[in-house]
Amino acid sequence: MQIRAVDIFKNFTGSSARPALDGVSLDVGSGELVALLGPSGSGKTTLLRIIAGLDFPDRGSVYFGDEDASKKTVQERRVGFVFQNYALFKHLTVAENIAFGLEVRDRQTRPPKAEIRRRALELLDLVQLTGLEKRRPAQLSGGQRQRVALARALAGEPRGLLLDEPFGALDAKVRRDLRSWLREIHLRTGHTTTFVTHDQDEALELADRVAVLNHGHIEQVGSPDEIYDHPATPFVHGFIGEASALTVDLRAGNLFIGNHQLPLPGRSGRTGRGRLFVRPQDIVIGEGDANGIEAEIVAVRRAGATRRAEIVIPADAGRVEIDAPAAVNFRPGERIPIRFLRGTFFLDGEGAASSLC
Amino acid sequence: MSETLAEWETRPAKIAWAPKTFAITFSKSPVAGEGPVLASILVGVTLVFLLLFLVLPLAVVFYEAFANGFAVYWEALNAPDARSAIWLTLTVAAIAVPLNIVFGLAAAWAIAKFRFAGKSFLITLIDLPFSVSPVVAGLIYVLLFGAQGLFGPWLKAHDIEIIFAVPGIVLATIFVTFPFVARELIALMEDQGTGDEEVALSLGASGVATFFRVTLPNIKWALLYGVLLCNARAMGEFGAVSVVSGHIRGLTNTMPLHVEILYNEYNITAAFAVASLLALLALVTLVAKTLLETRFKDALPGKSRGH
Amino acid sequence: MSLAIRRQSILPGFGLTLGYTLVYLGVIVLLPLAVLVLRASSLGLAGLWDIATEPRILAALRTSFSLALAAAAINVIFGGIVAWVLARYDFPGRRLLDAAVDLPFALPTAVAGIALAAIYAPNGWIGALIAPLGWKIAYTPLGIVVALVFIGLPFIVRTVQPVILELEQDVEEASATLGAARMQTLVRVILPTLAPALLTGFALAFARGVGEYGSVIFIAGNLPFVSEIAPLLIIVKLEQFDYAGATAIATLMLAASFLILLTINLIQAWSRRRMGHV
């Protein structure tokens, strides 16, 4: 089932200061796994809650397939929702938790007792918790609780699965295990799935597509490759992966640091100040490189297998960090020519990127 | 998590789409609240119930007290028996409350600042008077000090009166107010631990100086809270005192007992006049208690977690 | 002995304060209670049984226990609703009512007694309203229930209210996303979560109600076999110098209090085990 949010606007405070969601639209294709990625306060959880029917937008609509779900209650929407802190029913056993959604159905649609039990055990199997059906949530580990929460959300054959920071409360190791496990479950069940995360690794590793949110806007929606390799806005570039931002000038389509022209193809005809985002792996030390820009090493740190150098680019452009093999012997104060293989330039006041190769 | 919290904090406590009712839910989620019909019923039931059981009783006390005008009210309070009852009540509280404060401080110091076996059993014993009927509380002192009591003959031989006299009233009052100060202080001081005191001692302060300059300032609001409750009960106790007092007018009648006597003599206005003073005491206690809870809730045990 | 089991601590005054605590506790609480138990044991179990089954005493015990039970049950329902509304709703005067819930703790019981009697007497504010219907509250067992509801109310509200405030909103939301209507969420999710607190409050109100004296005697009518409560009968027996009778009733009531205290502890242990918290 395709899930669409169209032009969602939501303001909690009532004052016009900064809406939580400011005209957000998102399509999640049938069977797709989409991540909502953004920093705290970007509105990603609000969007998820509005899709579920746990919050109501001031403007805008939510569609499940062709059906307008906006006026439907959360109960009628029949989505599976997994909460960050599990929200398990503490007084019920694991099996009773999973069966809850089926038990509360009215008499016509409620499966017989035996069928409910069979389904609960089957889901317990799916989330690899076979044999724990009689435990109570207090007797489970965090990872196990989150598995129960997922099984519970899946029990009612939901029309979509929504997960709010599903691994947020877990420690790093459990998080990584559950990540691949969730991917597997998604492959097996094929539910249209949206999950919220602030962890870019989680989003890039898990999702078919990633929607990056900031200040109530969607900055970019795309595959992990597109998001990482072709960030659409300065925010996305700064938020995803490591990057250094340098202040550069665009003069008639060519990029300059100070008076040094960068050997990168620019855009024709434009002039102005802007920022060039460069990832560490796209910076090379070009010894004897005539096109290189002279820069000064200010600090060197050993970082595992590599040596990381902090380098000041002249003309107040900024600083970059590069990784070099440990064998390379940098010294602070040394001046070296460096060159940028790739970068993304954003003209100030314009969101659109001009990728350079 | 942090995002959710930040958004919820700024969220207004109302449901945008629900029809307007006079009550709005605190629920931070539009789906985790009752519909307007059920909400109105719940709030309505609450208002009627509390009106019937809290507001009316309080109102009727003052209504009846002033039913025959202020002059009659004043006369009732000025009657010699009423004045001696007021005096006796103040005296009893002035003895019982300080004794329980000293006990509360000692018990809280021993229990909260040290670890020893049988601690939780000791706490249970301290709370015991709360679960004993006031009449039973009075009875046990009669069995101990009454004419037929364990020490009765000895007391009689030495011409010491406890039962049907002021000492019995004081003892019964101490019993029923026994746990108030101690339980507030124990709970708070267990939360606070021993860190502050250890610092003071390590800086060279004496034990006594540490108590007065470090511990006492840390617990003063909880102490006041406990004293308030202790005092209200001490001045208002009826059942236990009734058993040991002997109801001798002008001598062993406390205010609550005097209320009973006047009421049974069908001197309704006078009974409510004396009762109105006790009701006033209750109101002052409630206001002070509420102020403490809102102003200094972090300095009271277990109340710092409130939302 | 205290030195041997005491934790290493540099804080002074342990021996002094613990010693004082034990002496004071012993003199004020334990010794008098021990005398009661001693007196009762001199009656013997058979003697205790004979007194307890005297028709008037049996009737008084039955009155005290059954009406305290009824009042506690009423309080579980209405006190539960009051706690829910005070915790979850805002309306004009909410803070005032919230503070007023402690009134039965603060108001001397004798004052509460004459006030309730005045309201529910046949010529009182409410008594006059229902008198034409042929109903009578004051001077009947119903009046006792009214007084015990008043006395027990804060026990339920103040036990349940903090638990309601600690409820996690997302559990209710989870129930809704699973298709449960609000009423189903209330009955299947919230009520079971509040059950231990409601039970504890019930037990506290019941215990207080059984022993309550001051607020009851003015409104009860105190008719033997009908509206005479056990604490009053203790006083009646004392006035008749029937110390054995008074001791027997008191012992039974004391045993009941301990039983209730034990029950409360069991409820809380059960709740902790089941839910992983109090």
Side-chain angles (χ1 to χ4, degrees):
Chain A
M1 166 112 18
Q2 185 199 29
I3 296 177
R4 281 188 302 144
V6 181
D7 199 23
I8 303 287
F9 183 93
K10 175 75 182 177
N11 193 341
F12 287 117
T13 53
S15 72
S16 60
R18 188 165 62 79
L21 290 173
D22 194 0
V24 168
S25 297
L26 177 73
D27 281 12
V28 183
S30 196
E32 204 180 10
L33 182 55
V34 168
L36 301 180
L37 175 66
S40 283
S42 60
K44 54 192 192 300
T45 293
T46 305
L47 178 59
L48 196 77
R49 290 172 56 87
I50 283 174
I51 293 172
L54 290 172
D55 264 318
F56 295 87
D58 301 336
R59 275 206 315 271
S61 315
V62 175
Y63 293 93
F64 288 178
D66 293 330
E67 173 196 305
D68 185 353
S70 308
K71 296 286 175 287
K72 297 213 154 180
T73 65
V74 55
Q75 287 92 350
E76 293 163 340
R77 290 192 197 187
R78 281 190 45 219
V79 294
F81 200 101
V82 176
F83 293 81
Q84 179 178 9
N85 292 311
Y86 330 122
L88 293 178
F89 306 127
K90 292 192 182 80
H91 62 290
L92 299 180
T93 63
V94 165
E96 286 164 344
N97 262 283
I98 298 174
F100 185 88
L102 299 171
E103 296 275 5
V104 295
R105 288 191 184 170
D106 56 33
R107 215 158 278 162
Q108 284 84 39
T109 53
R110 183 169 56 210
K113 276 254 177 275
E115 168 63 17
I116 291 178
R117 176 157 175 79
R118 196 194 58 73
R119 178 108 184 95
L121 292 179
E122 181 185 297
L123 279 159
L124 214 53
D125 227 22
L126 178 75
V127 300
Q128 299 163 7
L129 291 177
T130 318
L132 297 188
E133 65 268 19
K134 292 214 173 72
R135 295 261 187 105
R136 290 187 197 274
Q139 300 166 293
L140 300 177
S141 71
Q144 289 173 328
R145 287 180 204 178
Q146 196 56 290
R147 288 163 192 251
V148 175
L150 184 69
R152 184 179 67 175
L154 289 171
E157 279 131 30
R159 304 201 284 179
L161 194 55
L162 305 170
L163 304 98
D164 183 11
E165 298 266 7
F167 312 129
L170 302 170
D171 59 49
K173 160 111 179 64
V174 182
R175 258 174 118 119
R176 271 193 301 277
D177 291 349
L178 281 187
R179 230 185 255 171
S180 48
W181 166 81
L182 179 64
R183 178 86 224 177
E184 203 176 299
I185 297 247
H186 178 255
L187 282 175
R188 280 170 64 179
T189 59
H191 284 292
T192 306
T193 304
T194 308
F195 73 99
V196 159
T197 181
H198 64 266
D199 179 341
Q200 47 167 305
D201 293 340
E202 202 166 283
L204 296 175
E205 185 184 324
L206 208 48
D208 298 324
R209 282 193 304 144
V210 178
V212 183
L213 278 88
N214 185 34
H215 290 329
H217 290 282
I218 289 191
E219 297 265 338
Q220 185 175 8
V221 185
S223 68
D225 283 348
E226 285 166 351
I227 297 281
Y228 193 86
D229 294 332
H230 305 287
T233 66
F235 173 79
V236 177
H237 211 314
F239 190 68
I240 307 279
E242 280 186 86
S244 302
L246 299 172
T247 307
V248 297
D249 292 315
L250 182 67
R251 293 179 205 147
N254 294 311
L255 285 176
F256 287 86
I257 288 179
N259 285 323
H260 182 94
Q261 186 181 348
L262 296 174
L264 296 167
R267 281 186 305 176
S268 56
R270 305 291 298 270
T271 295
R273 198 141 248 244
R275 275 187 298 162
L276 180 69
F277 285 85
V278 193
R279 298 204 188 277
Q281 66 268 30
D282 294 331
I283 304 170
V284 290
I285 308 157
E287 272 178 61
D289 190 340
N291 289 325
I293 182 168
E294 280 277 304
E296 186 189 342
I297 297 173
V298 290
V300 183
R301 294 192 307 277
R302 179 66 188 260
T306 60
R307 208 177 279 283
R308 175 160 288 199
E310 194 179 333
I311 297 171
V312 174
I313 309 294
D316 289 333
R319 289 168 180 233
V320 295
E321 286 193 332
I322 61 166
D323 290 329
V328 178
N329 199 10
F330 287 128
R331 275 188 314 279
E334 197 178 344
R335 298 181 72 81
I336 51 163
I338 63 167
R339 199 151 60 87
F340 305 123
L341 296 179
R342 255 165 123 263
T344 311
F345 174 72
F346 299 95
L347 201 57
D348 281 354
E350 273 181 34
S354 141
S355 284
L356 307 156
C357 301
Chain B
M1 183 67 197
S2 55
E3 179 196 27
T4 322
L5 278 181
E7 286 175 1
W8 278 17
E9 270 159 17
T10 55
R11 207 170 292 181
K14 73 178 159 211
I15 313 172
W17 44 271
K20 280 228 182 315
T21 53
F22 73 102
I24 52 174
T25 172
F26 277 137
S27 168
K28 287 160 183 152
S29 156
V31 303
E34 287 78 40
V37 177
L38 187 53
S40 302
I41 292 174
L42 290 175
V43 175
V45 165
T46 297
L47 290 180
V48 170
F49 190 76
L50 294 187
L51 183 79
L52 271 181
F53 280 94
L54 297 182
V55 180
L56 275 191
L58 201 57
V60 83
V61 171
F62 291 100
Y63 175 84
E64 293 283 352
F66 290 102
N68 295 321
F70 188 77
V72 178
Y73 176 79
W74 187 245
E75 202 179 310
L77 292 186
N78 237 343
D81 289 348
R83 284 167 62 169
S84 74
I86 294 170
W87 183 243
L88 180 59
T89 293
L90 293 176
T91 310
V92 169
I95 301 170
V97 174
L99 283 174
N100 279 339
I101 292 176
V102 173
F103 163 71
L105 287 170
W109 182 266
I111 290 173
K113 302 287 182 191
F114 298 90
R115 207 180 285 177
F116 55 91
K119 189 193 256 194
S120 61
F121 182 63
L122 184 56
I123 295 176
T124 308
L125 288 182
I126 289 174
D127 273 342
L128 201 56
F130 275 166
S131 37
V132 173
S133 168
V135 172
V136 176
L139 172 72
I140 55 178
Y141 288 105
V142 173
L143 294 181
L144 203 56
F145 301 120
Q148 317 252 327
L150 197 60
F151 300 131
W154 187 86
L155 289 171
K156 196 168 168 61
H158 291 79
D159 213 16
I160 302 172
E161 279 193 319
I162 291 184
I163 299 306
F164 303 147
V166 175
I169 297 176
V170 172
L171 276 175
T173 304
I174 292 177
F175 182 92
V176 294
T177 58
F178 190 83
F180 279 107
V181 177
R183 67 161 21 182
E184 290 296 326
L185 293 186
I186 290 170
L188 180 71
M189 283 163 71
E190 283 199 319
D191 284 353
Q192 288 178 344
T194 55
D196 287 6
E197 284 77 11
E198 280 162 4
V199 169
L201 289 169
S202 73
L203 292 173
S206 70
V208 173
T210 300
F211 176 79
F212 281 104
R213 303 179 74 158
V214 176
T215 309
L216 208 53
N218 274 342
I219 59 170
K220 61 182 174 202
W221 298 118
L223 179 62
L224 181 59
Y225 190 88
V227 168
L228 267 173
L229 301 182
C230 181
N231 179 64
R233 183 73 193 268
M235 292 191 173
E237 178 51 28
F238 177 69
V241 171
S242 176
V243 176
V244 295
S245 112
H247 303 90
I248 307 164
R249 291 187 92 149
L251 282 179
T252 63
N253 254 355
T254 61
M255 286 166 77
L257 297 178
H258 194 55
V259 168
E260 182 193 23
I261 288 182
L262 292 170
Y263 189 82
N264 287 342
E265 288 170 347
Y266 298 101
N267 197 347
I268 303 298
T269 306
F272 276 102
V274 178
S276 75
L277 285 187
L278 291 167
L280 210 59
L281 167 75
L283 285 179
V284 170
T285 304
L286 279 189
V287 169
K289 175 176 168 297
T290 308
L291 278 180
L292 279 178
E293 280 168 1
T294 46
R295 235 11 111 64
F296 304 106
K297 69 175 172 197
D298 293 338
L300 297 176
K303 291 169 182 85
S304 50
R305 287 178 308 158
H307 284 218
Chain C
M1 75 143 199
S2 58
L3 282 174
I5 48 175
R6 139 187 193 194
R7 190 188 62 150
Q8 301 289 5
S9 171
I10 62 162
L11 300 196
F14 177 70
L16 180 72
T17 53
L18 185 67
Y20 181 73
T21 300
L22 292 177
V23 168
Y24 192 78
L25 178 73
V27 170
I28 299 290
V29 179
L30 300 183
L31 176 69
L33 282 176
V35 170
L36 175 68
V37 176
L38 206 71
R39 282 263 184 164
S41 62
S42 73
L43 294 171
L45 264 184
L48 211 60
W49 177 256
D50 282 348
I51 296 171
T53 49
E54 259 174 47
R56 186 173 172 189
I57 294 179
L58 200 60
L61 287 170
R62 195 180 291 142
T63 302
S64 274
F65 280 92
S66 63
L67 297 183
L69 216 55
I74 290 171
N75 263 329
V76 163
I77 297 167
F78 288 97
I81 292 174
V82 168
W84 183 258
V85 167
L86 289 179
R88 283 291 175 94
Y89 289 89
D90 198 11
F91 48 87
R94 183 193 70 87
R95 289 172 65 90
L96 205 66
L97 281 184
D98 196 359
V101 165
D102 285 327
L103 183 70
F105 280 155
L107 194 68
T109 52
V111 179
I114 62 169
L116 290 171
I119 294 170
Y120 290 96
N123 60 350
W125 289 350
I126 290 176
L129 283 181
I130 57 169
L133 305 170
W135 292 353
K136 213 165 159 250
I137 292 181
Y139 319 129
T140 73
L142 217 54
I144 301 179
V145 174
V146 167
L148 295 184
V149 167
F150 172 83
I151 286 299
L153 177 69
F155 288 95
I156 307 268
V157 176
R158 292 300 183 231
T159 313
V160 178
Q161 204 177 8
V163 184
I164 295 175
L165 286 172
E166 299 241 313
L167 286 180
E168 286 152 36
Q169 201 98 55
D170 56 5
V171 174
E172 289 164 57
E173 293 185 339
S175 174
T177 63
L178 293 167
R182 184 62 187 165
M183 210 57 192
Q184 286 177 307
T185 302
L186 285 175
V187 172
R188 284 169 169 262
V189 177
I190 292 170
L191 206 56
T193 313
L194 298 183
L198 283 167
L199 274 174
T200 303
F202 175 85
L204 288 170
F206 175 56
R208 176 70 201 261
V210 168
E212 179 57 22
Y213 173 70
S215 62
V216 173
I217 52 160
F218 296 98
I219 199 173
N222 306 326
L223 209 61
F225 297 101
V226 178
S227 55
E228 186 177 60
I229 54 167
L232 175 65
L233 196 53
I234 293 180
I235 291 185
V236 171
K237 293 282 175 196
L238 271 183
E239 283 167 356
Q240 298 166 348
F241 301 103
D242 178 2
Y243 281 57
T247 304
I249 304 172
T251 310
L252 289 172
M253 291 179 60
L254 203 63
S257 319
F258 289 157
L259 218 59
I260 297 167
L261 213 63
L262 186 71
T263 312
I264 293 171
N265 282 329
L266 289 177
I267 293 169
Q268 276 164 356
W270 163 74
S271 157
R272 253 195 306 275
R273 232 191 2 263
R274 209 162 91 119
M275 315 248 212
H277 64 89
V278 185

mmCIF file with all atom_site columns, all heavy atoms in Angstrom, chain C residues 57-68:
data_model
loop_
_atom_site.group_PDB
_atom_site.id
_atom_site.type_symbol
_atom_site.label_atom_id
_atom_site.label_alt_id
_atom_site.label_comp_id
_atom_site.label_asym_id
_atom_site.label_entity_id
_atom_site.label_seq_id
_atom_site.pdbx_PDB_ins_code
_atom_site.Cartn_x
_atom_site.Cartn_y
_atom_site.Cartn_z
_atom_site.occupancy
_atom_site.B_iso_or_equiv
_atom_site.pdbx_formal_charge
_atom_site.auth_seq_id
_atom_site.auth_comp_id
_atom_site.auth_asym_id
_atom_site.auth_atom_id
_atom_site.pdbx_PDB_model_num
ATOM 1  N N   . ILE C 1 57 ? -21.531 -7.338  70.234 1.00 0.00 ? 57 ILE C N   1
ATOM 2  C CA  . ILE C 1 57 ? -20.169 -7.102  69.740 1.00 0.00 ? 57 ILE C CA  1
ATOM 3  C C   . ILE C 1 57 ? -20.033 -7.594  68.297 1.00 0.00 ? 57 ILE C C   1
ATOM 4  O O   . ILE C 1 57 ? -19.474 -6.920  67.430 1.00 0.00 ? 57 ILE C O   1
ATOM 5  C CB  . ILE C 1 57 ? -19.141 -7.802  70.656 1.00 0.00 ? 57 ILE C CB  1
ATOM 6  C CG1 . ILE C 1 57 ? -19.174 -7.135  72.030 1.00 0.00 ? 57 ILE C CG1 1
ATOM 7  C CG2 . ILE C 1 57 ? -17.752 -7.744  70.047 1.00 0.00 ? 57 ILE C CG2 1
ATOM 8  C CD1 . ILE C 1 57 ? -18.228 -7.745  73.027 1.00 0.00 ? 57 ILE C CD1 1
ATOM 9  N N   . LEU C 1 58 ? -20.607 -8.752  68.067 1.00 0.00 ? 58 LEU C N   1
ATOM 10 C CA  . LEU C 1 58 ? -20.555 -9.294  66.700 1.00 0.00 ? 58 LEU C CA  1
ATOM 11 C C   . LEU C 1 58 ? -21.219 -8.330  65.722 1.00 0.00 ? 58 LEU C C   1
ATOM 12 O O   . LEU C 1 58 ? -20.687 -8.063  64.635 1.00 0.00 ? 58 LEU C O   1
ATOM 13 C CB  . LEU C 1 58 ? -21.272 -10.658 66.683 1.00 0.00 ? 58 LEU C CB  1
ATOM 14 C CG  . LEU C 1 58 ? -20.915 -11.569 65.509 1.00 0.00 ? 58 LEU C CG  1
ATOM 15 C CD1 . LEU C 1 58 ? -19.429 -11.880 65.506 1.00 0.00 ? 58 LEU C CD1 1
ATOM 16 C CD2 . LEU C 1 58 ? -21.728 -12.856 65.564 1.00 0.00 ? 58 LEU C CD2 1
ATOM 17 N N   . ALA C 1 59 ? -22.375 -7.803  66.159 1.00 0.00 ? 59 ALA C N   1
ATOM 18 C CA  . ALA C 1 59 ? -23.086 -6.870  65.284 1.00 0.00 ? 59 ALA C CA  1
ATOM 19 C C   . ALA C 1 59 ? -22.248 -5.625  65.031 1.00 0.00 ? 59 ALA C C   1
ATOM 20 O O   . ALA C 1 59 ? -22.175 -5.130  63.889 1.00 0.00 ? 59 ALA C O   1
ATOM 21 C CB  . ALA C 1 59 ? -24.432 -6.490  65.911 1.00 0.00 ? 59 ALA C CB  1
ATOM 22 N N   . ALA C 1 60 ? -21.598 -5.121  66.085 1.00 0.00 ? 60 ALA C N   1
ATOM 23 C CA  . ALA C 1 60 ? -20.787 -3.909  65.925 1.00 0.00 ? 60 ALA C CA  1
ATOM 24 C C   . ALA C 1 60 ? -19.605 -4.165  64.994 1.00 0.00 ? 60 ALA C C   1
ATOM 25 O O   . ALA C 1 60 ? -19.287 -3.350  64.123 1.00 0.00 ? 60 ALA C O   1
ATOM 26 C CB  . ALA C 1 60 ? -20.299 -3.431  67.293 1.00 0.00 ? 60 ALA C CB  1
ATOM 27 N N   . LEU C 1 61 ? -18.937 -5.322  65.189 1.00 0.00 ? 61 LEU C N   1
ATOM 28 C CA  . LEU C 1 61 ? -17.815 -5.654  64.309 1.00 0.00 ? 61 LEU C CA  1
ATOM 29 C C   . LEU C 1 61 ? -18.291 -5.777  62.867 1.00 0.00 ? 61 LEU C C   1
ATOM 30 O O   . LEU C 1 61 ? -17.651 -5.284  61.936 1.00 0.00 ? 61 LEU C O   1
ATOM 31 C CB  . LEU C 1 61 ? -17.154 -6.966  64.763 1.00 0.00 ? 61 LEU C CB  1
ATOM 32 C CG  . LEU C 1 61 ? -16.329 -6.861  66.052 1.00 0.00 ? 61 LEU C CG  1
ATOM 33 C CD1 . LEU C 1 61 ? -15.922 -8.247  66.534 1.00 0.00 ? 61 LEU C CD1 1
ATOM 34 C CD2 . LEU C 1 61 ? -15.088 -6.001  65.801 1.00 0.00 ? 61 LEU C CD2 1
ATOM 35 N N   . ARG C 1 62 ? -19.444 -6.453  62.709 1.00 0.00 ? 62 ARG C N   1
ATOM 36 C CA  . ARG C 1 62 ? -19.980 -6.622  61.357 1.00 0.00 ? 62 ARG C CA  1
ATOM 37 C C   . ARG C 1 62 ? -20.281 -5.255  60.743 1.00 0.00 ? 62 ARG C C   1
ATOM 38 O O   . ARG C 1 62 ? -19.940 -4.991  59.590 1.00 0.00 ? 62 ARG C O   1
ATOM 39 C CB  . ARG C 1 62 ? -21.239 -7.491  61.400 1.00 0.00 ? 62 ARG C CB  1
ATOM 40 C CG  . ARG C 1 62 ? -21.633 -8.007  60.033 1.00 0.00 ? 62 ARG C CG  1
ATOM 41 C CD  . ARG C 1 62 ? -22.886 -8.859  60.108 1.00 0.00 ? 62 ARG C CD  1
ATOM 42 N NE  . ARG C 1 62 ? -22.656 -10.117 60.795 1.00 0.00 ? 62 ARG C NE  1
ATOM 43 C CZ  . ARG C 1 62 ? -23.536 -10.686 61.623 1.00 0.00 ? 62 ARG C CZ  1
ATOM 44 N NH1 . ARG C 1 62 ? -24.694 -10.082 61.880 1.00 0.00 ? 62 ARG C NH1 1
ATOM 45 N NH2 . ARG C 1 62 ? -23.265 -11.830 62.192 1.00 0.00 ? 62 ARG C NH2 1
ATOM 46 N N   . THR C 1 63 ? -20.905 -4.370  61.535 1.00 0.00 ? 63 THR C N   1
ATOM 47 C CA  . THR C 1 63 ? -21.217 -3.027  61.038 1.00 0.00 ? 63 THR C CA  1
ATOM 48 C C   . THR C 1 63 ? -19.929 -2.310  60.608 1.00 0.00 ? 63 THR C C   1
ATOM 49 O O   . THR C 1 63 ? -19.825 -1.792  59.487 1.00 0.00 ? 63 THR C O   1
ATOM 50 C CB  . THR C 1 63 ? -21.914 -2.207  62.141 1.00 0.00 ? 63 THR C CB  1
ATOM 51 O OG1 . THR C 1 63 ? -23.091 -2.902  62.539 1.00 0.00 ? 63 THR C OG1 1
ATOM 52 C CG2 . THR C 1 63 ? -22.296 -0.826  61.646 1.00 0.00 ? 63 THR C CG2 1
ATOM 53 N N   . SER C 1 64 ? -18.945 -2.301  61.498 1.00 0.00 ? 64 SER C N   1
ATOM 54 C CA  . SER C 1 64 ? -17.707 -1.581  61.189 1.00 0.00 ? 64 SER C CA  1
ATOM 55 C C   . SER C 1 64 ? -17.039 -2.118  59.925 1.00 0.00 ? 64 SER C C   1
ATOM 56 O O   . SER C 1 64 ? -16.672 -1.359  59.032 1.00 0.00 ? 64 SER C O   1
ATOM 57 C CB  . SER C 1 64 ? -16.726 -1.682  62.368 1.00 0.00 ? 64 SER C CB  1
ATOM 58 O OG  . SER C 1 64 ? -16.999 -0.666  63.303 1.00 0.00 ? 64 SER C OG  1
ATOM 59 N N   . PHE C 1 65 ? -16.897 -3.423  59.854 1.00 0.00 ? 65 PHE C N   1
ATOM 60 C CA  . PHE C 1 65 ? -16.165 -4.003  58.724 1.00 0.00 ? 65 PHE C CA  1
ATOM 61 C C   . PHE C 1 65 ? -16.945 -3.887  57.419 1.00 0.00 ? 65 PHE C C   1
ATOM 62 O O   . PHE C 1 65 ? -16.401 -3.518  56.382 1.00 0.00 ? 65 PHE C O   1
ATOM 63 C CB  . PHE C 1 65 ? -15.801 -5.465  59.010 1.00 0.00 ? 65 PHE C CB  1
ATOM 64 C CG  . PHE C 1 65 ? -14.589 -5.582  59.888 1.00 0.00 ? 65 PHE C CG  1
ATOM 65 C CD1 . PHE C 1 65 ? -14.705 -5.656  61.259 1.00 0.00 ? 65 PHE C CD1 1
ATOM 66 C CD2 . PHE C 1 65 ? -13.320 -5.584  59.334 1.00 0.00 ? 65 PHE C CD2 1
ATOM 67 C CE1 . PHE C 1 65 ? -13.591 -5.743  62.075 1.00 0.00 ? 65 PHE C CE1 1
ATOM 68 C CE2 . PHE C 1 65 ? -12.194 -5.670  60.140 1.00 0.00 ? 65 PHE C CE2 1
ATOM 69 C CZ  . PHE C 1 65 ? -12.336 -5.749  61.521 1.00 0.00 ? 65 PHE C CZ  1
ATOM 70 N N   . SER C 1 66 ? -18.244 -4.201  57.451 1.00 0.00 ? 66 SER C N   1
ATOM 71 C CA  . SER C 1 66 ? -18.996 -4.205  56.193 1.00 0.00 ? 66 SER C CA  1
ATOM 72 C C   . SER C 1 66 ? -19.166 -2.781  55.662 1.00 0.00 ? 66 SER C C   1
ATOM 73 O O   . SER C 1 66 ? -19.038 -2.543  54.462 1.00 0.00 ? 66 SER C O   1
ATOM 74 C CB  . SER C 1 66 ? -20.351 -4.892  56.372 1.00 0.00 ? 66 SER C CB  1
ATOM 75 O OG  . SER C 1 66 ? -21.133 -4.168  57.296 1.00 0.00 ? 66 SER C OG  1
ATOM 76 N N   . LEU C 1 67 ? -19.419 -1.820  56.555 1.00 0.00 ? 67 LEU C N   1
ATOM 77 C CA  . LEU C 1 67 ? -19.617 -0.461  56.068 1.00 0.00 ? 67 LEU C CA  1
ATOM 78 C C   . LEU C 1 67 ? -18.296 0.163   55.627 1.00 0.00 ? 67 LEU C C   1
ATOM 79 O O   . LEU C 1 67 ? -18.265 0.925   54.653 1.00 0.00 ? 67 LEU C O   1
ATOM 80 C CB  . LEU C 1 67 ? -20.295 0.395   57.142 1.00 0.00 ? 67 LEU C CB  1
ATOM 81 C CG  . LEU C 1 67 ? -21.706 -0.075  57.516 1.00 0.00 ? 67 LEU C CG  1
ATOM 82 C CD1 . LEU C 1 67 ? -22.343 0.868   58.522 1.00 0.00 ? 67 LEU C CD1 1
ATOM 83 C CD2 . LEU C 1 67 ? -22.593 -0.211  56.288 1.00 0.00 ? 67 LEU C CD2 1
ATOM 84 N N   . ALA C 1 68 ? -17.204 -0.175  56.323 1.00 0.00 ? 68 ALA C N   1
ATOM 85 C CA  . ALA C 1 68 ? -15.896 0.314   55.877 1.00 0.00 ? 68 ALA C CA  1
ATOM 86 C C   . ALA C 1 68 ? -15.563 -0.254  54.491 1.00 0.00 ? 68 ALA C C   1
ATOM 87 O O   . ALA C 1 68 ? -15.011 0.429   53.629 1.00 0.00 ? 68 ALA C O   1
ATOM 88 C CB  . ALA C 1 68 ? -14.805 -0.071  56.873 1.00 0.00 ? 68 ALA C CB  1
#
